[in-house]
Amino acid sequence: MIIKPKVRGFICTNAHPQGCKANVEEQIAYIKANGQLAKQTNNSPKNVLVVGCSTGYGLASRITAAFGAGAKTLGVCYEQPPSEKTASAGYYNTSAFHDAAAEAGLYAYTINGDAFSTAIKDQVLAKIKADLGKIDLIIYSLASPRRTDPVTGQVYTSVLKPIGAAHTSKNLNTDKLKINEITLLPATEEEIANTVKVMGGEDWELWIDALQEADLLAENAKTVAYTYLGDKLTWPIYGQATIGKAKEDLDRAAKAINLKLQSVNGSANVAVLKALVTQASSAIPLMPLYLSILFKIMKEEGTNEHCIEQIQRLFTECLYTDEPRIDSANRYRVDEKELEARVQARVEAIWAEVTEENLLELTDYKAYTDDFLKLFGFGIDGIDYEEDISPVVKTLF
Ligand code: NAD
């Protein structure tokens, strides 16, 4: 089939296998050139579990552990295999990761299924016992709109809404390139609680409990879960909104997990990462406009980073160093370039001025759309998008 992007609103419903492979190879090349950690020492990951391993920050984490430190990686994701449609981008990414890992002689195994379920946790535990022995790094990088409670079977759905009062703001409609005002109504108490249930720390704790009960945590095991804090412009829809409440729950979970990990001398931290285009973030109202402005400023400042650069710094400046970049709330920080006062002031100034007439001049909307399409393997140099190709890829997972 000839595979061209099918974009609807904030999602692209197909993906290009060769483009996704190129993205994965580009990230691997970056880590080979810039991200090397001491291999197989006390200060490097060896056996790594990545929950949410197929796209965005989780994929970058898996690549950094494997190709930066020679770690064995066990990944969990929830991706669509090819059918009469293309597979999801994360499926192609995972296939490409496995190809590269096999070529490099690196152990990799992926379990494709619902990470919130007990059945998938059990499969992971069995695989660790059989192949890895113990795990020394657990990356928790899930982004999901819903979660089925493993005990009650109840399905919880998250919402992206402000808390307390409605919030009216500029918003970019990326389908029509129109900037209009949107008013987001405040979440109900139930919606807040449901969002915490989906994106909060409960499932992270369940993963650690399961690993600990099965005695699969190595001495000095580390675990990290990802969050975003942002600044004034994004607080009403992120930091101080339903998703921010869920992310606050990660801080609670990190404290609880830290107590549990005392027995293995381990540690749990939330890591604060910068805003960038992923399948999860493009669904958040305001974010496409914020990111288009942010990219313009950060590129001008020479400080813009993608997932792989962020995660490479997380590993080298936070996780595997004696002097981690850590804040007073015990969170690893690699979002400092986005939050620099000067950067935020420039973003706010453009935000006030931007209209649909000057959008392309005042923002780097092109960088936003390029990054968005790239997530699905489109717009990549060297790929022939007119070529009739099979959506089926060889899978080693
Ligand atoms: P993403 O959408 O690119 O990745 C989500 C991953 O979760 C994928 O691997 C997907 O397969 C997996 N997944 C989703 N539901 C699953 C399920 N039920 N079972 C198994 N796997 C499942 O998202 P991302 O932006 O990389 O987000 C990862 C984390 O980073 C999130 O916690 C997010 O809040 C955080 N974060 C994102 C940004 C950003 O700007 N994108 C910034 C800071 C922090």
Side-chain angles (χ1 to χ4, degrees), residues 52-58 76-79 113-116 141-144 199 226-228 238 247 273-276 278-281:
C53 66
S54 55
T55 54
Y57 278 126
V76 184
C77 59
Y78 211 7
E79 299 295 345
D114 183 4
F116 294 127
S141 186
L142 284 190
S144 174
M199 287 297 286
Y226 295 153
T227 194
Y228 177 68
Y238 202 107
K247 294 297 188 180
L273 306 173
K274 95 179 259 288
L276 40 69
T278 64
Q279 294 184 42
S281 65

